[in-house]
Amino acid sequence: MEDNMAFTIPAWVPEGAQRYLAHTETGQSIRDIARSVGCHASTILRQIRRIEMRRDDPLVDAALQSLAETHFSEAEGQSAAASEALGLQPVEAAAKDEEFNREALRILRRLCETGAVLAVAEEMDKAVVVRDSGDNAATRTAVVDCRIAQALALKDWISCDNPGRISRYRISSSGRAALSQLIAEAENKARARNEFGMAEAQTPFQTQGCKTTSSPRARRIRYSAAESPLIALARRRDRDGKPFLDEALVSAGERLREDFELAQIGPQVTQNWDHFLTAGGRGSFGAGVHAGQGSSDARARVERALSDLGPGLSDVALRCCCYLEGLELAEKRMGWSARSGKIVLRIALQRLKRHYEDQAEKTRLIG
């Protein structure tokens, strides 16, 4: 925000939206804003007009209203001025920006999948990502708070061609570019934590002789911005004309992936799963003391699922469902013959589906 303003605003808010709010909510003239940021008044005018034209988008309009109410009230201005006088740092704002980046990464990944849209209904607190699964059916792949969806729209990372009672948003070209940057930042943070010992505690997997990302020959996990290999396989047909992977098998694989992503969140973002790969030395998976309890349940679910699959099947499930490796690369790394990976993957997904059904039955009996 401009230096002469006594209002705080989240760092994720685009520059044009900040200047628009400064003009509309505080009454600053366009010339004053241009003078404070060191650019021509016509530049500020174009930015303000562009934001005003985007208010036909319900998410953009809601985002601007929320920002105005939250960050441009008189009480907020007084609080920000007092904090500045005391030399205080907006720690809470930084935490909120980190939360936004994490949620944006999760949702943009899902929106990169073929046929995926973010559906937003009027006066609802949540939005959902759904993917067209064929035969006029849709599968819900993620749920997001509407305030996060509003932020994504304001940053122009998602766009809607025809707003209505239920608006459907798709990832934009700038959203795809932002996703690549968020992935790179997440990888850099994970590598820095592992190399410089910033993790709060070691995990049991890191104490059993596995390769870690600090090694020069360490195995790097790169999440693809493209769709999951399961989605591509689900579009293929077998000899009978039926989908090679039915929706239940795809859902089982995506459930594993969701838990895997949740397990990577928190202090132990460098969680090492290589003990579940047949190429690594498979050790014991005894419970240990885990830092970051927010993702411990997800870690436990992933461990149970992979242990139940056993060697070989857990390998292909981890590579294709979680690491998002393509089948050809997975076959090469595991030394399998060409076109055999999809058969083994389908068997792994069938076993994984049965595992989740058994877990649900146990939960029902206990309840």
Side-chain angles (χ1 to χ4, degrees), residues 49-110:
R49 283 178 174 174
R50 182 174 183 272
I51 296 297
E52 182 63 38
M53 291 177 63
R54 294 185 60 206
R55 295 203 74 156
D56 289 337
D57 185 317
L59 284 184
V60 173
D61 185 63
L64 292 171
Q65 287 184 11
S66 177
L67 287 169
E69 294 171 359
T70 305
H71 299 284
F72 287 87
S73 65
E74 182 179 353
E76 171 67 15
Q78 293 174 352
S79 175
S83 297
E84 184 177 354
L86 293 172
L88 301 179
Q89 298 297 323
V91 178
E92 291 185 4
K96 290 180 179 179
D97 292 335
E98 182 69 22
E99 177 193 358
F100 167 74
N101 288 338
R102 186 168 61 244
E103 280 293 281
L105 178 60
R106 180 176 69 92
I107 298 305
L108 292 178
R109 276 178 179 163
R110 288 300 191 181

Side-chain angles (χ1 to χ4, degrees), residues 63 133 173 194 210 277 295:
S133 53
S173 57
N194 204 33
C210 283
L277 300 178
S295 56

